[in-house]
Amino acid sequence: MTRYLITSAIPYVNGVKHLGNLVGSLLPADVHARFRRQTGADVLFICGTDEHGTPTELSAATAGKDARTYCEEQHAIQADIYHRFGLTFDHFGRSSSQQNHELTQHFYRRLDASGFIEERDVQQVWSPKDSRFLPDRYIIGTCPHCRYGAARGDQCDGCGTLLDPPELLDRRSAISGDRNLEIRSSRHLFLRQSLLVDKLREWVDHRDSWPAWVTSLARSWLTSDLRDRCITRDLDWGIPVPRPGFEGKVFYVWFDAPINYIAITKEWSDTAPSQRDWRDWWWQPADVQYLQFLGKDNVPFHTVSFPATVLGSGEPWKTVDVIKGFHWLAYRGGKFSTTQRRGVFTDAALDVLPADLWRWWLIANAPESADVDFDIKRFAGDIGKDLADVFGNLATRATSFAWRAFDGRIPVDGEPGPLEQVLAQEVDRRLAVLRGLHESLEFRRAAAETRALWVLANGYIQEQAPWAAIKLDPSRAAVTTRAALNLLALCAIVGWSIIPTLANRVLSAFGNASDCPAWPTIPASQLLDARKGEPIARIEPLVSKLTEVEIAALEHRFSGAER
């Protein structure tokens, strides 16, 4: 039986993340992990905070704290937010852990022994005003390829090209704005990716479960002149480089961060070593499918740089089988941005509305094939239609009628007729389609099919109108009420991976709330014959529609920089 190793892009510790970060990796990974657990699969879902690099040092200094203390506090804040969003990590670790220190240094030594590490003198940017070498991300300028005016020293967000700082035109410090930048020499280590092109190309050619645009992007790097990558930095905070002459230098954050996937698993294992072995998931596992969820700006690192590290080690580490890449969530004509404090941030989102409302809209509108624009009015309208008018209306109407007509119990009288048999067959078909969409990671279509099932259930109870039939044919009213209630339970079960809290409110009415309700295996039987005579609680409205005043208040709150 296949086991599923699921990772989402590791969020940077520097600041609370926005909705774009959430839908770009974290939330879809959680939905899939929940679904796989529902089917009875063995799942390991891991994530953590990426804690090294200059942004941490600068943020810590601004906060008047040392980097370690700052990271501990920010890690706790992010972990709490993700818990409140219902993200079900098996372990949420840290890149500053001892496990990641040890594994990063291990990979470096393996690569060095295999001839894939080389010392080189690097021309770096020095800011006299800041009195320091400027890390790549803290140099901004114009991209020499697309002329995007706010390119960073490591990558252009305009065209996606990986850069080195000296390539930027009109360079300036992102810290002080200093334009009097100097180029000075510093000794660094390079991962010789150019020697691994053939091995990487063969590896990519055997990845048949990636979105086409992810595969195309990976191949574009491998068909061009793949450059060797500098993997060290002149910083204090990070993983020390165990090499004579490199005292005071640390590994580049993008070298150690992906290794942290393995290290987090070891953290998880080390909490219960007699019960778990991290190597069962990473070292020659024959039965593990590894799925990565990440945004498009992370694709080059996960399809080229990290695989180069793993393949270059010469060891039998598990490499990714499936990459589910996402485009960006746009906001008011531009990207959500942590550094620019632009957009709706996860803590603010939870301050104003329950997590399931955000979860539903983000999955139903996931930017799978193109960027998606977030708009408060559209968000409010979709939530009102889907969760209040359709799913919520079904739950309230079906349970309220059972209370009025059948003393708060699922009726036992009557036998299903031809209409219920057809309904059961249609539900069977739809659930098979929905399961296939979840398995193929088609999140928007899965949400649409889930909603379609809710619409089907509403249509059935509306057409059969048991509140009218009970006057002339109580037995028929009992059959349709029972079918509607059981269909409501099925609707909650298959919606649980996306809206777990709302789904469990429905399942609680049946006395069946669960940390992981099993995916329906015989839906026809569950629809027609289940739960006869069992008590059913009345469900109050699950979701209230936002009023015009509330929508206006949200628009005002999220009208500009929110942090």
Side-chain angles (χ1 to χ4, degrees):
M1 184 176 180
T2 300
R3 296 180 293 149
Y4 295 91
L5 174 62
I6 299 174
T7 65
S8 60
I10 299 173
Y12 204 72
V13 78
N14 187 38
V16 172
K17 303 300 109 176
H18 51 66
L19 295 185
N21 298 128
L22 187 68
V23 74
S25 63
L26 297 160
L27 180 56
D30 178 70
V31 171
H32 191 66
R34 284 174 175 272
F35 161 73
R36 288 295 183 184
R37 294 186 189 114
Q38 284 189 278
T39 66
D42 188 3
V43 173
L44 180 61
F45 177 28
I46 60 168
C47 192
T49 41
D50 180 3
E51 300 186 358
H52 295 138
T54 302
T56 299
E57 288 189 344
L58 295 177
S59 296
T62 300
K65 298 171 182 176
D66 64 89
R68 184 168 297 280
T69 300
Y70 175 80
C71 287
E72 288 173 354
E73 294 175 354
Q74 294 299 313
H75 172 85
I77 290 170
Q78 287 200 33
D80 175 66
I81 290 171
Y82 301 146
H83 174 74
R84 288 190 285 136
F85 258 107
L87 304 186
T88 54
F89 304 120
D90 289 289
H91 190 71
F92 188 69
R94 305 177 61 185
S95 68
S96 62
S97 70
Q98 184 60 35
Q99 291 88 342
N100 198 39
H101 277 236
E102 293 170 356
L103 277 166
T104 298
Q105 291 174 344
H106 168 82
F107 274 102
Y108 154 71
R109 291 187 178 102
R110 291 291 306 183
L111 292 163
D112 190 32
S114 299
F116 294 122
I117 299 293
E118 183 174 87
E119 289 189 25
R120 298 179 188 174
D121 287 323
V122 175
Q123 299 301 298
Q124 287 188 262
V125 177
W126 174 269
S127 168
K129 188 172 183 178
D130 298 314
S131 298
R132 62 178 296 163
F133 283 113
L134 292 179
D136 298 351
R137 291 180 62 87
Y138 278 77
I139 306 163
I140 56 176
T142 300
C143 174
H145 302 281
C146 71
R147 294 303 191 269
Y148 177 64
R152 304 189 309 266
D154 60 348
Q155 187 175 14
C156 174
D157 287 340
C159 64
T161 301
L162 296 181
L163 299 169
D164 285 322
E167 297 178 79
L168 289 175
L169 308 176
D170 188 28
R171 295 187 300 273
R172 58 197 180 277
S173 167
I175 304 170
S176 64
D178 185 9
R179 280 183 160 82
N180 297 316
L181 304 180
E182 302 173 7
I183 302 298
R184 295 186 181 182
S185 181
S186 183
R187 195 76 168 164
H188 283 282
L189 299 180
F190 279 74
L191 173 59
R192 302 178 70 187
Q193 296 181 141
S194 58
L195 300 182
L196 291 161
V197 169
D198 290 341
K199 185 174 289 190
L200 286 166
R201 186 179 293 119
E202 180 184 6
W203 177 76
V204 169
D205 286 344
H206 285 84
R207 306 300 100 180
D208 55 6
S209 298
W210 297 3
W213 68 269
V214 171
T215 303
S216 176
L217 187 56
R219 286 176 175 155
S220 73
W221 290 106
L222 297 173
T223 54
S224 62
D225 182 19
L226 181 64
R227 293 182 296 181
D228 298 335
R229 195 73 177 154
C230 183
I231 61 167
T232 54
R233 292 293 186 269
D234 291 293
L235 295 172
D236 295 324
W237 174 245
I239 298 176
V241 180
R243 187 183 185 100
F246 281 75
E247 297 80 6
K249 296 182 189 290
V250 299
F251 285 108
Y252 176 39
V253 63
W254 262 111
F255 181 70
D256 82 78
I259 295 171
N260 195 34
Y261 294 129
I262 307 174
I264 290 170
T265 310
K266 191 172 188 303
E267 281 187 71
W268 166 79
S269 177
D270 288 348
T271 62
S274 63
Q275 304 169 32
R276 306 166 178 165
D277 189 343
W278 61 281
R279 288 162 294 198
D280 288 344
W281 293 90
W282 286 101
W283 192 266
Q284 289 184 310
D287 60 343
V288 170
Q289 184 180 53
Y290 177 20
L291 303 96
Q292 284 181 352
F293 293 78
L294 48 90
K296 63 182 177 182
D297 53 335
N298 289 332
V299 168
F301 294 102
H302 287 77
T303 60
V304 176
S305 296
F306 182 42
T309 298
V310 175
L311 297 175
S313 74
E315 295 178 321
W317 296 101
K318 178 65 181 175
T319 58
V320 64
D321 297 298
V322 179
I323 289 180
K324 177 63 175 181
F326 290 86
H327 293 264
W328 284 319
L329 190 67
Y331 182 74
R332 292 180 174 267
K335 288 193 330 178
F336 276 76
S337 172
T338 300
T339 55
Q340 297 177 25
R341 310 302 188 199
R342 176 185 177 81
V344 180
F345 286 75
T346 50
D347 56 348
L350 291 173
D351 284 345
V352 295
L353 291 170
D356 275 11
L357 276 60
W358 301 105
R359 287 177 65 106
W360 174 260
W361 192 91
L362 291 170
I363 290 298
N365 296 275
E368 294 177 284
S369 58
D371 294 349
V372 170
D373 190 64
F374 177 84
D375 177 79
I376 289 292
K377 286 184 178 178
R378 180 185 170 196
F379 165 78
D382 290 348
I383 291 303
K385 287 184 293 185
D386 296 347
L387 298 183
D389 289 347
V390 183
F391 186 52
N393 182 57
L394 172 67
T396 301
R397 183 160 58 168
T399 58
S400 295
F401 180 70
W403 262 82
R404 292 198 309 272
F406 299 102
D407 298 321
R409 292 191 173 273
I410 298 177
V412 299
D413 295 338
E415 294 298 324
L419 185 64
E420 283 69 47
Q421 298 296 337
V422 171
L423 176 66
Q425 292 174 4
E426 177 64 8
V427 170
D428 260 336
R429 185 191 70 80
R430 286 179 177 270
L431 290 185
V433 170
L434 178 56
R435 178 166 182 157
L437 293 172
H438 274 294
E439 290 173 342
S440 60
L441 308 178
E442 297 181 70
F443 291 95
R444 292 180 70 145
R445 292 184 62 196
E449 190 62 34
T450 300
R451 185 185 187 279
L453 187 66
W454 300 345
V455 171
L456 176 70
N458 264 309
Y460 171 77
I461 194 172
Q462 179 67 28
E463 291 170 5
Q464 297 308 302
W467 45 85
I470 197 168
K471 301 172 185 176
L472 301 175
D473 191 346
S475 180
R476 179 62 191 161
V479 169
T480 56
T481 301
R482 185 168 65 248
L485 289 169
N486 286 330
L487 185 50
L488 168 63
L490 286 174
C491 286
I493 290 169
V494 299
W496 175 84
S497 64
I498 306 175
I499 49 169
T501 301
L502 292 176
N504 260 332
R505 279 185 58 189
V506 171
L507 295 175
S508 292
F510 294 87
N512 292 328
S514 171
D515 289 339
C516 185
W519 188 266
T521 54
I522 45 173
S525 175
Q526 290 174 262
L527 172 63
L528 300 178
D529 301 316
R531 303 184 179 89
K532 289 183 178 180
E534 293 182 8
I536 179 75
R538 179 183 288 137
I539 298 175
E540 298 301 323
L542 293 175
V543 175
S544 297
K545 288 186 175 182
L546 296 176
T547 66
E548 291 297 325
V549 171
E550 290 170 327
I551 293 171
L554 289 178
E555 286 188 308
H556 176 73
R557 174 162 186 164
F558 299 125
S559 62
E562 292 303 313
R563 305 226 30 95

